[in-house]
Amino acid sequence: MAQQVRGVVAPGKNEPVRVETIIVPDPGPGEAVVKVQACGVCHTDLHYKQGGINDDFPFLLGHEAAGVVESVGPDVTDVAPGDFVILNWRAVCGKCRACRRGRPWYCFDTHNATQKMTLEDGTELSAALGIGAFAEKTLVAAGQCTKVDPSVAPAVAGLLGCGVMAGIGAAINTGKVGRGDTVAVIGCGGVGDAAVVGSRLAGAARIIAVDIDDRKLETARSMGATHTVNSRTSDPVEAIRELTGGFGADVVIEAVGHPETYRQAFYARDLAGTVVLVGVPTPEMKLELPLLDVFGRGGALKSSWYGDCLPSRDFPMLIDLHQQGRIDLGAFVTETIGLDDAEKAFARMHEGDVLRSVVIL
C-alpha cells in the first residue's frame, strides 16, 4: 500500500523549496523502499533547485543518503528489509558494453526506479539523481542500495553517496594519484576537500589547495593539503608552478565546474600531466582552448563520473578505512538539521559557511 511521507520539493526554478506530502508507492520489480536516516545537502541539489540540471520540475531533492531498507519488490536478491545501505545514483546494469568489458564504473545504462513518487494531487516528481532522499522514505532501484557496516553513523555514511565519493574517487580512481605525486585541487568545497583526502590516502607528496575563500583553504589544510593558494589574490597557475619547481602538478583536480578554473587546471599541470574534471558545469558553459596546446602538452584530460566508483567495491572499503581511523568522514559534517531547515542550508552553502549540512530524519 502506498505511503504518505514528508519530503523537500523544489517547485520551480530558483523558487524556495518547501516540505510537501509525498506519495511513495510500494516497490515493484527490482525496486526498494528505503527509510532515510540521513541525507547530505549537496551542491548538485542546489543546481537542481536553480534549474541548472534540467527543467523537469517539481524535483524531490536529496541524494547523498543512508538508511534502512524497509521493503523490496519482486526479483530483488541483493538487499533485504533491515539492511543498512548507502544510496548511490549509478546503479550498474551488468549488461551494457562497459559492464561486459569489466568496467562497470563506466556503465552506460545505469537505472532508477521505474515508478514515480508523486505529490498528493498526483503530480509526478523528478527525484534528484534518481533518489529523492530529502524525504522520510524514498523509492529507488534496488541496485542503488549498497550494504555497508551498520555500526557507522548514518550522517557519515550518507556522504559517500555523492560528494565525498566523487572527490576521493577523482583522485584515486580517475586521476590515479600515486606515491610521491604532486596534486593541485582547485575548489575546496566538499568534493574538493574529499579530493585532498583521497590524494593524501594515495600517498601524494604535495597537495596544493586552491580557492578564493581563506576559510575553505584552512579547512583543506586540516584535511591534508600541504600548501594553499588564494586565487583571488594570486595567479593560481603561477603559484602552482612556483610550488613545483616551475613544472606544474602531476595531477590537477578541478572541483568547481567552470571554464575559467578548468583553463587554470589545464595550464597548471606538468607536461604529460593529468587534468580531472569533477566539478559539474551548467549546460550553457563553453570551453575554448588552443588545440595546439592540447596536443603539445600531452597527458590526459579526464572527466570523473561519480569518482569512477563502483559502489559495491568502494563504499564498504571507505567505511572500513573510516572505522580504522585512516580517514575522518565525520570531518565533512558541519551541522545536522531537519527537513524544515533545507532552504536555510542552501543559503549557508551558497555563502560558503558550511562544508556539509546533513538532514537527519
Side-chain angles (χ1 to χ4, degrees):
M1 182 176 178
Q3 303 182 67
Q4 293 186 351
V5 301
R6 298 171 73 238
V8 175
V9 173
K13 185 174 180 178
N14 285 321
E15 293 182 26
V17 300
R18 57 192 187 218
V19 177
E20 299 268 14
T21 297
I22 309 300
I23 308 301
V24 181
D26 286 340
E31 297 176 338
V33 170
V34 175
K35 186 179 187 303
V36 180
Q37 294 180 320
C39 185
V41 182
C42 178
H43 206 276
T44 303
D45 289 304
L46 183 59
H47 275 323
Y48 273 106
K49 178 178 181 291
Q50 294 172 333
I53 304 295
N54 57 54
D55 59 357
D56 293 336
F57 291 97
F59 291 111
L60 176 58
L61 299 179
H63 60 278
E64 197 176 73
V68 175
V69 176
E70 179 181 86
S71 58
V72 299
D75 305 322
V76 174
T77 58
D78 290 340
V79 292
D83 285 342
F84 178 66
V85 298
I86 299 172
L87 299 181
N88 72 79
W89 47 268
R90 286 185 60 80
V92 301
C93 72
K95 300 176 182 178
C96 72
R97 59 195 185 279
C99 289
R100 291 198 307 268
R101 293 170 68 189
R103 302 173 182 175
W105 48 90
Y106 291 139
C107 178
F108 301 134
D109 194 23
T110 57
H111 54 282
N112 305 129
T114 302
Q115 300 181 87
K116 292 282 192 179
M117 292 175 280
T118 68
L119 296 175
E120 286 185 286
D121 64 4
T123 300
E124 291 188 346
L125 293 165
S126 299
L129 290 175
I131 293 179
F134 283 159
E136 293 162 334
K137 297 178 185 180
T138 190
L139 177 76
V140 294
Q144 294 179 267
C145 301
T146 304
K147 290 190 289 187
V148 296
D149 185 342
S151 68
V152 70
V156 168
L159 299 183
L160 290 179
C162 188
V164 172
M165 183 69 255
I168 291 177
I172 295 176
N173 296 332
T174 314
K176 300 194 182 304
V177 174
R179 293 187 300 274
D181 280 352
T182 295
V183 180
V185 178
I186 300 178
C188 296
V191 173
D193 281 346
V196 169
V197 169
S199 299
R200 184 187 64 183
L201 192 65
R206 184 170 297 180
I207 304 170
I208 304 165
V210 181
D211 203 281
I212 61 174
D213 188 330
D214 285 331
R215 298 171 301 171
K216 291 186 177 182
L217 291 173
E218 187 59 33
T219 300
R221 191 177 285 275
S222 74
M223 296 283 190
T226 59
H227 300 77
T228 60
V229 174
N230 188 318
S231 55
R232 190 186 296 276
T233 57
S234 302
D235 182 325
V237 176
E238 292 303 316
I240 291 168
R241 289 189 174 280
E242 184 176 342
L243 290 168
T244 55
F247 300 116
D250 298 302
V251 181
V252 184
I253 299 170
E254 200 277 4
V256 179
H258 191 277
E260 179 57 30
T261 46
Y262 188 89
R263 279 190 290 269
Q264 292 168 357
F266 179 83
Y267 287 109
R269 67 184 174 128
D270 197 356
L271 290 174
T274 298
V275 174
V276 177
L277 174 64
V278 67
V280 181
T282 53
E284 75 279 359
M285 291 180 177
K286 306 291 183 183
L287 177 68
E288 184 174 330
L289 286 170
L291 190 57
L292 183 61
D293 285 356
V294 175
F295 173 79
R297 299 187 65 81
L301 307 178
K302 296 183 174 183
S303 297
S304 186
W305 299 347
Y306 207 177
D308 287 341
C309 81
L310 185 60
S312 60
R313 175 195 66 194
D314 294 340
F315 289 3
M317 173 193 71
L318 293 172
I319 290 295
D320 284 347
L321 291 174
H322 170 71
Q323 299 287 60
Q324 295 167 24
R326 295 173 63 187
I327 56 175
D328 182 9
L329 297 177
F332 288 89
V333 181
T334 305
E335 62 175 1
T336 56
I337 61 174
L339 280 177
D340 295 307
D341 299 317
E343 182 66 26
K344 294 177 183 177
F346 283 125
R348 285 192 288 272
M349 174 194 295
H350 184 71
E351 296 299 322
D353 293 335
V354 294
L355 194 55
R356 267 298 184 273
S357 301
V358 178
V359 175
I360 300 297
L361 296 106

